[in-house]
Amino acid sequence: MTSTTSGTRPALNGVDTPTLFATLDAVKASPDLAKFQFRATNRWISGTNNRSTIRGFYGAGQEDTSRTEDFTYDADHPAVLVGTGKGPTPVEFLLHAIAACLTAGLANVAAARGVALTEVSSTVEGDIDLLGILGLDHDVRNGYQGIRVSFRIRGDAPDEVLRGLVERSRARSAVYDVLTNGVPVSIDVTTG
Amino acid sequence: MTSTTSGTRPALNGVDTPTLFATLDAVKASPDLAKFQFRATNRWISGTNNRSTIRGFYGAGQEDTSRTEDFTYDADHPAVLVGTGKGPTPVEFLLHAIAACLTAGLANVAAARGVALTEVSSTVEGDIDLLGILGLDHDVRNGYQGIRVSFRIRGDAPDEVLRGLVERSRARSAVYDVLTNGVPVSIDVTTG
């Protein structure tokens, strides 16, 4: 998924590589197509259980209509944190997000480079000391202290080429950027 | 959910407030109970579609056994980004995570302060310019340029008290901390 790779690659890894390169060319010609806005809505259910709905987004110059159903996800705290365990904790969704972003990018990069993948799996671990969010130690941050991603990759290319796919995916990952560099988050409230 | 609030509050908002305060006392007495590790595993399916599984975690001094089934989540890119739309994009899960974390915290804080909530809903928007991840403009970051969370809250307390719940939840939110301040992410790769 680079702007300098030839556009003559065939579809590979389930990636429609010709369309991917055509999309890159279209965005090069009309950079405003690259402006996207993603959205989620959330509703509190009870206690620490709440539910998000994801569907619409704006991008490529228009409101997307390709999604015909809502994606809905519960989150909750587990019993040991006085929740009801009806979904993962919010912080676990961050681990899903980083694995998913790196893996999607990796498949695109592999297709662009002509590497056929046979397996990509990963485990993600995040360490967190809850003394922060519990308000018991102000020197402990609220969030993860560190996240580790471990990939296992197999494909028809030498070790260093496979490693290069991960490195390029990391360098172009939206979630990796947000998690490692942070992003401004504004919060507003309407009551009554 | 503060360490200075009285522990005599009754259960409220679906929050078992007495157990919440008892948990705080237990962690105060044994701070190592606050060390948690959350995890996700991910497997590539095809193209930009992949699937994470979330279940086990370590915390409160032991491996958790309360979850009797896996939570599984697909992610994908939408058609306009040359994906198959079998799940939200990875970056949309970040929006779910921040809404879920702030909302869970808010319910806990409200219970601790004796505020009965009747509605908490939120919308989250994230703006992203894909010129970054497409490699078309190196001055554009890969991730969101900004995230906006808009809450609507109703409960049996004055406006300023309801707003104070959000502010306290923000100040103690693990996801807000990670998204605004960033976290070290390490990646390792095994091939073959």
Side-chain angles (χ1 to χ4, degrees):
Chain A
M1 201 164 175
T2 81
S3 56
T4 53
T5 306
S6 158
T8 59
R9 296 283 187 192
L12 189 63
N13 301 324
V15 175
D16 181 354
T17 322
T19 300
L20 187 59
F21 283 111
T23 300
L24 276 167
D25 288 340
V27 176
K28 269 188 233 181
S30 303
D32 275 357
L33 294 175
K35 295 187 191 306
F36 275 62
Q37 181 186 86
F38 290 108
R39 306 173 197 127
T41 61
N42 182 281
R43 181 166 289 274
W44 174 59
I45 299 173
S46 179
T48 51
N49 180 212
N50 57 77
R51 183 173 297 155
S52 290
T53 300
I54 295 172
R55 183 167 173 174
F57 65 88
Y58 176 89
Q62 60 189 339
E63 194 66 22
D64 180 75
T65 57
S66 69
R67 294 172 173 175
T68 54
E69 295 185 4
D70 293 343
F71 297 115
T72 61
Y73 303 101
D74 270 40
D76 201 348
H77 290 182
V80 68
L81 296 173
V82 203
T84 50
K86 292 179 176 167
T89 59
V91 289
E92 288 170 288
F93 282 101
L94 299 179
L95 307 183
H96 165 48
I98 184 67
C101 193
L102 291 170
T103 301
L106 206 154
N108 277 343
V109 172
R113 295 183 176 182
V115 176
L117 298 170
T118 52
E119 179 189 341
V120 182
S121 57
S122 57
T123 63
V124 191
E125 299 173 337
D127 295 319
I128 188 167
D129 186 337
L130 300 187
L131 292 178
I133 65 171
L134 293 174
L136 297 176
D137 187 338
H138 294 290
D139 293 329
V140 175
R141 71 175 296 177
N142 292 323
Y144 285 123
Q145 294 166 314
I147 292 174
R148 290 176 301 283
V149 186
S150 301
F151 272 103
R152 178 178 185 84
I153 304 180
R154 293 182 182 188
D156 70 349
D159 174 85
E160 65 272 21
V161 172
L162 296 175
R163 291 176 185 278
L165 302 176
V166 179
E167 175 48 28
R168 173 55 65 110
S169 179
R170 184 201 61 75
R172 292 280 167 76
S173 166
V175 173
Y176 181 86
D177 174 25
V178 167
L179 292 190
T180 58
N181 295 315
V183 60
V185 177
S186 68
I187 302 174
D188 64 59
V189 182
T190 302
T191 62
Chain B
M1 199 163 175
T2 80
S3 56
T4 53
T5 305
S6 159
T8 59
R9 296 282 188 192
L12 189 63
N13 301 322
V15 175
D16 181 354
T17 322
T19 300
L20 188 59
F21 282 111
T23 300
L24 276 167
D25 288 339
V27 176
K28 268 189 232 179
S30 304
D32 275 358
L33 295 175
K35 294 187 191 307
F36 274 62
Q37 181 186 85
F38 291 109
R39 306 173 195 126
T41 61
N42 182 280
R43 180 166 291 273
W44 174 59
I45 299 172
S46 179
T48 51
N49 181 212
N50 57 77
R51 183 173 298 155
S52 291
T53 300
I54 295 171
R55 183 166 173 176
F57 66 88
Y58 176 89
Q62 59 189 340
E63 194 66 21
D64 180 75
T65 57
S66 69
R67 294 171 173 175
T68 55
E69 294 184 4
D70 292 344
F71 298 115
T72 61
Y73 303 101
D74 270 40
D76 202 348
H77 290 182
V80 69
L81 297 174
V82 202
T84 51
K86 292 180 177 167
T89 59
V91 289
E92 288 170 287
F93 282 101
L94 299 180
L95 307 183
H96 165 48
I98 184 68
C101 193
L102 292 170
T103 300
L106 206 154
N108 277 342
V109 172
R113 294 183 177 182
V115 175
L117 298 170
T118 50
E119 179 189 341
V120 182
S121 58
S122 57
T123 63
V124 190
E125 299 173 338
D127 295 319
I128 188 166
D129 185 338
L130 300 186
L131 293 179
I133 65 170
L134 293 173
L136 297 176
D137 187 338
H138 294 290
D139 294 329
V140 175
R141 71 176 296 177
N142 293 323
Y144 285 124
Q145 295 165 314
I147 293 174
R148 289 177 301 284
V149 186
S150 301
F151 272 104
R152 179 178 184 83
I153 304 178
R154 293 182 182 189
D156 70 349
D159 174 85
E160 65 270 23
V161 171
L162 295 176
R163 291 177 185 278
L165 302 177
V166 179
E167 175 47 29
R168 171 56 64 110
S169 179
R170 183 201 63 74
R172 292 279 167 77
S173 166
V175 172
Y176 181 86
D177 174 25
V178 167
L179 292 189
T180 58
N181 295 315
V183 60
V185 178
S186 67
I187 302 175
D188 63 60
V189 182
T190 301
T191 63

